[in-house]
Each structure stands twice: as structure tokens, then as C-alpha cells.
Amino acid sequence: MQYKRITLLCGHYGSGKTNIAVNMALDLKKQKDNVAIADLDIVNPYFRTKDSADELKENGIRLIVSDFANSNVDIPALPQDMYAITDDKTLNTVIDVGGDDRGVLALGRLSDKIIEENDYDMFLVVNCYRPLTRNAPETLEVLREMEMSCRIPFTGIINNSNLGAATTPQDVLDSVEYAHEVSKLTSMPIVATTVEEKVYSSLQGKVENLFPLRLQKKII
Amino acid sequence: MSEKVLMKGNEAIAEAAIIAGCRHYFGYPITPQTEIAAYMAKKMPKIGGCFLQAESEIAAINMVYGVSSTGKRVMTSSSSPGISLKGEGLSYLAGSDLPALVVNVQRGGPGLGGIQPSQSDYFQSTRGGGHGDYRMIVLAPASVQEMAELTIKGFELADEYRMTAMILADGTMGQMMEPVELDLEVKPMPEKPWTTTGTKMERKHNIVNSLSLVPEELEELNIARFERYKKIEENEARAEEYMVDDAEICVAAFGIAARVSKNAVDEARKMGIKAGLIRPITLWPFPKAPFEKAVQHAKRFISVELSMGQMIEDVRLATACKVPVELCNRVGGMIPSPEQVLEAIVKASKEIGGAK
């Protein structure tokens, strides 16, 4: 992947943003020195980037995250050092934004600076197997709601269509048409199709811009 | 698109409620069930339904009372502390013989507790929760698919018996994501001649009320209600039995604890221990029959719970204390590991002098 200075990951609640953010930060670290991952989720107290804190730290990736993340203190807190994202121009940051229009609200605080600098990508993470983004028009609706809420235009699509642990290579192939429809409807490119490592090899060469994901947290 | 959908347990409950014909949802956000409210907020306006975030849990349950009086399918959801607030309303629903579906995605307590999963509202839900002599049908899903199926079942049972059905899930069940098939059948809603929807001057007016000031009449009402409960106990108790037929060690667990226990039973079988699992799907009525059957060959029961031991009392009652019943548990938001359950099975097996 090619990265701009700021990579924003937004999408429908439960579309897989956090896992992709952690994997992309690790990928970005192979290309750049000064890398950070920022958690701007003000909605969900569970399944946060902080779950991967140890691995990120080991890899020298800075974690910009609220002290309250993963503390079970269920309050919508932002990281105290969130302005480093826009103010420290030497920092390359992947931002894990909260889900849906409610989740991206906090991002609006940074929108002016991000747009002014214009060195960002904002990717829409989509999963056609999630209930409220089953088809392209529904997905477009979620996208518009999010753009209205955070006031930053999207630049690309990440197809993360999956059925969790039960995902087969065929499920991913079946989602390609959907991703293309979303791409056409939004006039944005599909920058990656993210798949779990175990199905990656059987899809190589069959899907464009395949990006392997190592899942960060094991769920029962 | 494909038939399967990847859903959180909370979303599956909300979608299944809509499939069941529920067009009225009243709630107040609380972790770990907020996705139910969020899903309803998104979807209800699109299908001509009503989503209303009430000013409190107490307001929400009383809105449920109002809609139920008109015969419409209605639900509310919350998590443990919020269910306590609804306690008065639950009692009024029971006293007025009103059907409703109430969802409790439990978290650790007592008090405000934490936001991690728990099963410690077992007593509260199976023994009432509010005041007075009454029962609720309590359903305990153990997968996201079952969250959807039991939601529909809950509406059906509530209407059939004119009472509250409760989905008793936990934080894990609410938050976990699994593929779900939503091609679910819904029975036609029974006639409801008792609703307060206007007489059109064609009949005597109906009254929905829990006030009954003549003791003889109130006694009669209570007795009649319990006749109905008896029928439910006879007809609606459900459980999943897993390798119970020859089991010497019988594990009892519901919800997330049952998933963990199933793994442990598999491991125990590999070690040559005759272990089995009874998973109550209805917590009230408690499925006594599989326990009565199992106690004829099982030498030990182990109740695996995310509580200090609540269902264990029903296991002891159902087995008439014929053999020892041990507790294997974690509390405060912790979940027993398969290893912990296996250890309890192995220990029990040694005590009875069984294989291993």
C-alpha cells in the first residue's frame, strides 16, 4: 500500500476498522519511521486498538489513545495528545475512527487542518455481509451520513466483506461485484480488499489489491 | 446478496424483533446492549415503526405497558442495572396480563458493577424481579443465531400466554459477531380480544389494569395466573442435551457458559471421561425432565455459571439432591475458561472413581 501522511479508516459499526488500522500501521511502519496509530472511537468501549498495545509498542508504533480506552470506564473520551496527528507533520498516522455518523463526529474537530494540509486518505471500510450495508445504495447512505458528520470527503474504498471466522474464499469473491458497485456509485477506487491470512493464499491473483489481515483479538 | 449476515448478538435481537412484527421499541442506552437501541433508531423510522429513547428505563417499560394494552408487539431492552429500574413495570405488566418482550444483556454487578459479561441476574429474572406472585418466561440464547430465533419465540410465547418473556443474554452474547440466517418463520399473532382499542359501541369496554382491591378477587386472579404458569411448565421447557445419555459427570450451563462447557466436555471425552452437558434454553420454566433423566446415571453435576451460584439451586431441585452438585464459576465480568471447567470435570471424575 501507498500511504499519505494521514490515513483515516471509517465505516459502518463493526465493519472491521480496528483490525485494519492495526495491520495498516504495522505495514506503514515498514515504509516509514515515525508512525502512530490513533484511536478516536468515542462510541464503543470494547474491541479497541489498545487491545494490540503490546505488539504496537514492540514495533515502535506510537499509540495515540485515551487513557480510558479498555479501562471499562464507559465514557466517550478522546486522547489528550490527539492534536499531534495534525500538528506534528513528521508523524505518519493511521486513524481508527468510531463507527457510523455518531462515531466520526469527534473527527470533525480535526477536519479543517486535515483538509487544509491535504495529505490524507479517508477510506470507507465496507462489508456487504453486515446488516445495514448489504448493497451499494445502503452503503452510500452510510457514507453520506458520515461525511456530513465529520466534514471530510472520502477518497477510497476498502472491501472488508467477511463472515467472521466462517469466511470462505468464495464469500470474498462474491463480494467483489458489490465493491465495484460501491466504487462506481461513489466514483472512488477500491484501494484494498482485506482478507484474513488463512484465506489470503487461495485468493491471490483472483482479487485486486489483496491485503492480508492478522486478526488482533481472538473471540470465543 | 448472500443469505448470511454477519451480526452482533444485539443487532440480531433487534432485527429479529422487526421480523416478528415489533414496530414499537422503547429504551434507554446502557452498555453492553446499546446496539439494540442504535439499530432500532436506524431502522424503525424507515419501516414506519416507532423508536423512542425514553427519559429513563422506568419511562420505557411503562411505554411498553401502554403499547401492549393496544395489542401490538412491543419490546424494551437494557442491561442489569437498567432491568432493576424496570422492576416495577415488569410487575405491573404481570398484574395486567400484558405480553411484552424484555431483553437483559447482563453485566457484572451488583450495583453499577462493570461492563463485562455476567449471568448474575438469574435469580432476578427466574424469580420475578418485581414484587408480587408472578413469573416471566426466561430464554437463554447461546449463539447469535439463537439470539434471533429466541427473540421471535419470545414474542410468540408472550402473546400466547399473555405475559412477559425475557431474553436473558450476557455482554459476550450481545457483543460477539457470528453469521446469522434471518430467513425465520413467525407464527401468526393470536387473537387479542382484550385490547383497549375502542369499543366502536359494539362491545363492552375492556380494562387493562393491575389494581384489584377485593381480596377474594385478587386471590382468584393469582390462582388463575398460576394455572396458566403450570401449563407453560408442562409445555414450554426446553434444553439442549449434549452427550448426556451415558454421562457420569453432567455439566449444566446456559448462554456463554454453555459454549465454554461444550469445549470442556469434548476434551473430557477425549480423556475417556463420560461427561455430558445439559444446556437449559428456557430458564423459566426450568427444564426439569432432562435432569430427572440424567440423575439416574450421572454421579455428579457441575453447574457452570458467571455468578456466585444461582442456577445451581434449580439443578439441585431438578435432581432432588440425589447426587452432589458442584459449582464452577467466575464473577465480576470474568468468564470461566474451558480449562477451568475441564479441571472441575476431572476432579469430579476422580472423586467418583471413574475413568482417569
Side-chain angles (χ1 to χ4, degrees):
Chain A
M1 281 269 303
Q2 294 262 321
Y3 296 93
K4 297 273 177 64
R5 195 180 76 72
I6 293 174
T7 305
L8 294 152
L9 295 166
C10 305
H12 174 40
Y13 184 70
S15 56
K17 298 174 293 294
T18 301
N19 262 310
I20 296 170
V22 171
N23 279 274
M24 283 199 163
L26 291 165
D27 184 49
L28 177 59
K29 182 65 191 173
K30 290 175 198 158
Q31 303 174 25
K32 302 264 168 71
D33 272 344
N34 200 6
V35 172
I37 185 166
D39 176 352
L40 297 191
D41 195 339
I42 52 163
V43 176
N44 193 353
Y46 308 107
F47 316 117
R48 302 284 289 260
T49 49
K50 214 175 186 176
D51 293 337
S52 307
D54 290 344
E55 191 183 3
L56 292 163
K57 221 175 272 175
E58 271 169 34
N59 284 277
I61 295 169
R62 175 173 167 188
L63 191 56
I64 298 175
V65 59
S66 156
D67 287 343
F68 295 107
N70 279 27
S71 67
N72 289 332
V73 180
D74 192 6
I75 53 169
L78 287 165
Q80 58 188 356
D81 50 348
M82 72 180 272
Y83 292 108
I85 299 167
T86 45
D87 295 353
D88 181 353
K89 300 281 195 285
T90 66
L91 201 58
N92 300 282
T93 311
V94 175
I95 309 182
D96 180 22
V97 188
D100 293 333
D101 47 340
R102 296 177 300 275
V104 298
L105 196 64
L107 185 59
R109 190 75 189 84
L110 302 175
S111 63
D112 289 351
K113 285 185 170 181
I114 289 174
I115 289 170
E116 192 192 335
E117 185 194 354
N118 198 21
D119 192 4
Y120 81 95
D121 266 317
M122 183 153 108
F123 298 137
L124 176 71
V125 180
V126 297
N127 178 357
C128 65
Y129 299 105
R130 291 282 293 142
L132 299 181
T133 54
R134 298 299 306 282
N135 53 49
E138 278 180 5
T139 309
L140 184 68
E141 198 181 319
V142 171
L143 176 147
R144 294 284 174 251
E145 286 171 359
M146 283 192 290
E147 278 186 343
M148 291 276 282
S149 182
C150 73
R151 309 187 300 280
I152 303 175
F154 279 95
T155 62
I157 295 156
I158 293 176
N159 179 18
N160 186 48
S161 293
N162 73 88
L163 280 164
T167 312
T168 63
Q170 192 57 44
D171 293 328
V172 178
L173 292 171
D174 288 346
S175 75
V176 169
E177 195 188 323
Y178 154 85
H180 281 294
E181 274 174 48
V182 176
S183 169
K184 218 168 107 186
L185 211 56
T186 58
S187 310
M188 292 193 302
I190 302 164
V191 296
T193 297
T194 42
V195 294
E196 208 184 327
E197 268 176 346
K198 64 174 187 187
V199 293
Y200 178 75
S201 55
S202 53
L203 286 166
Q204 260 178 320
K206 293 180 187 160
V207 182
E208 295 170 288
N209 301 333
L210 210 57
F211 188 101
L213 287 183
R214 198 149 45 81
L215 296 193
Q216 299 302 303
K217 196 154 191 206
K218 197 165 176 274
I219 302 160
I220 295 172
Chain B
M1 284 311 310
S2 100
E3 292 304 300
K4 274 191 190 148
V5 193
L6 182 67
M7 287 185 123
K8 283 202 164 206
N10 286 334
E11 294 167 339
I13 284 178
E15 184 60 39
I18 290 167
I19 291 169
C22 172
R23 292 293 177 274
H24 297 82
Y25 170 90
F26 309 107
Y28 189 84
I30 178 171
T31 306
Q33 66 80 52
T34 301
E35 291 84 2
I36 301 177
Y39 196 91
M40 290 300 199
K42 281 249 187 256
K43 238 176 156 183
M44 279 298 195
K46 290 182 185 163
I47 55 171
C50 171
F51 162 83
L52 200 148
Q53 180 173 323
E55 64 266 41
S56 72
E57 288 85 349
I58 299 169
I61 192 76
N62 285 296
M63 290 172 189
V64 167
Y65 185 106
V67 168
S68 182
S69 305
T70 71
K72 303 283 186 200
R73 283 195 163 153
V74 55
M75 79 180 269
T76 184
S77 62
S78 192
S79 179
S80 308
I83 296 292
S84 292
L85 282 168
K86 292 183 197 291
E88 179 197 56
L90 291 173
S91 173
Y92 278 54
L93 284 166
S96 307
D97 298 305
L98 286 173
L101 187 76
V102 177
V103 179
N104 181 2
V105 183
Q106 300 164 90
R107 55 190 251 179
L112 259 181
I115 62 168
Q116 296 297 334
S118 163
Q119 297 181 326
S120 53
D121 302 347
Y122 181 94
F123 282 157
Q124 186 194 41
S125 52
T126 61
R127 302 302 191 266
H131 60 279
D133 273 323
Y134 77 95
R135 291 292 195 181
M136 290 190 297
I137 293 165
V138 183
L139 305 168
S143 67
V144 176
Q145 182 69 37
E146 229 178 36
M147 291 283 252
E149 287 169 7
L150 291 181
T151 295
I152 290 172
K153 184 83 182 162
F155 276 112
E156 290 172 347
L157 290 171
D159 277 339
E160 187 176 345
Y161 295 103
R162 280 186 69 177
M163 61 191 287
T164 299
M166 177 176 274
I167 302 288
L168 192 70
D170 64 74
T172 323
M173 296 308 313
Q175 292 297 323
M176 74 193 301
M177 275 180 147
E178 283 179 338
V180 188
E181 282 180 45
L182 289 167
D183 187 17
L184 302 168
E185 264 178 52
V186 185
K187 282 188 208 161
M189 194 150 74
E191 291 284 311
K192 295 181 176 177
W194 47 266
T195 57
T196 54
T197 47
T199 65
K200 299 186 184 71
M201 308 301 265
E202 285 164 5
R203 60 164 168 81
K204 218 174 140 253
H205 67 272
N206 289 330
I207 297 172
V208 170
N209 189 11
S210 69
L211 181 69
S212 186
L213 293 173
V214 182
E216 289 84 353
E217 286 174 15
L218 184 52
E219 181 183 50
E220 223 173 275
L221 274 173
N222 272 283
I223 290 169
R225 206 166 281 135
F226 272 70
E227 287 297 322
R228 207 169 354 129
Y229 294 162
K230 216 172 118 187
K231 249 192 245 165
I232 299 168
E233 287 187 284
E234 284 163 9
N235 299 325
E236 306 298 346
R238 288 171 72 191
E240 179 195 349
E241 292 173 63
Y242 183 68
M243 299 207 246
V244 181
D245 285 350
D246 64 340
E248 292 182 335
I249 312 290
C250 186
V251 178
F254 65 96
I256 187 67
R259 290 172 74 115
V260 174
S261 298
K262 209 176 225 180
N263 288 342
V265 165
D266 284 341
E267 287 305 311
R269 283 276 169 177
K270 281 184 206 158
M271 295 166 69
I273 299 171
K274 287 182 178 168
L277 167 71
I278 300 177
R279 175 174 77 88
I281 297 169
T282 55
L283 300 179
W284 192 88
F286 192 74
K288 291 179 193 144
F291 286 94
E292 286 164 357
K293 203 169 67 184
V295 78
Q296 291 170 19
H297 47 81
K299 298 186 178 76
R300 283 281 195 289
F301 282 76
I302 302 169
S303 190
V304 182
E305 304 183 49
L306 278 68
S307 76
M308 289 305 290
Q310 299 192 11
M311 183 179 72
I312 193 170
E313 295 193 1
D314 282 334
V315 176
R316 285 191 177 124
L317 285 169
T319 55
C321 297
K322 284 176 189 161
V323 296
V325 185
E326 314 281 351
L327 177 67
C328 174
N329 68 331
R330 291 297 296 270
V331 294
M334 301 302 292
I335 303 172
S337 64
E339 293 76 27
Q340 186 191 346
V341 180
L342 180 63
E343 206 175 294
I345 294 172
V346 171
K347 181 170 166 274
S349 178
K350 278 180 188 154
E351 281 166 12
I352 62 166
K356 273 271 158 171

